[in-house]
Amino acid sequence: MTDEDAMRLALEQAQIAAGRGETPVGALILDPATGEIVAAAGNGPIGAHDPTAHAEIAAIRAAAARLGNYRLTGLTLVVTLEPCAMCAGAISHARLGRVVFGADDAKGGAVVHGPRFFELPTCHWRPAVTGGVLGEEAGTLLRDFFRARRKGAT
């Protein structure tokens, strides 16, 4: 499965999250050796009343439960938005082999923006990172979602 194909599936998860009124971020974890999708999730903090229910965290939890192991070494996380510091920490602890993200997040991102978590000397596991995959589509989805919310608030 190509990065673009995987990102399209993550974007579907983001659309589902948006339909629930959540910020449209979607994630999936796949096994690059087989192309199997191990887990998929969308953002859920509002509905779950849980500030940690980001799409990345939900996908990591589901993959770990499915595999019976909290280490996800060799697997790839595909997410529509650059991970925040909390999610980057979870990615490192899960020992994911690779992260592919769509849109940059200049305000809340922690991979290529902000603290650049994986470059910190205290980071004990550093995945390979590929950013900008279908970034325009992912960014447009987010901008349109927030534009519609602002319109509804007036």
Side-chain angles (χ1 to χ4, degrees), residues 31-152:
D31 183 338
T34 65
E36 176 189 9
I37 296 170
V38 178
N43 248 17
I46 296 168
H49 309 291
D50 178 359
T52 70
H54 289 192
E56 301 95 308
I57 301 294
I60 288 169
R61 287 177 177 160
R66 179 173 174 194
L67 299 175
N69 192 341
Y70 72 107
R71 299 285 193 223
L72 304 176
T73 308
L75 300 182
T76 298
L77 170 73
V78 179
V79 61
T80 59
L81 182 65
E82 177 184 350
C84 69
M86 175 184 68
C87 293
I91 290 163
S92 180
H93 282 279
R95 288 178 166 57
L96 283 155
R98 184 168 178 242
V99 174
V100 176
F101 70 88
D104 285 353
D105 186 353
K107 183 177 178 183
V111 176
V112 298
H113 294 91
R116 297 179 181 230
F117 188 89
F118 301 129
E119 296 175 23
L120 295 174
T122 54
C123 179
H124 64 279
W125 181 266
R126 295 168 178 86
V129 175
T130 302
V133 176
L134 299 182
E136 186 57 39
E137 290 91 333
T140 298
L141 178 61
L142 284 158
R143 282 188 298 278
D144 290 351
F145 176 81
F146 285 113
R147 186 176 299 118
R149 286 188 61 169
R150 282 191 299 277
K151 249 184 189 177

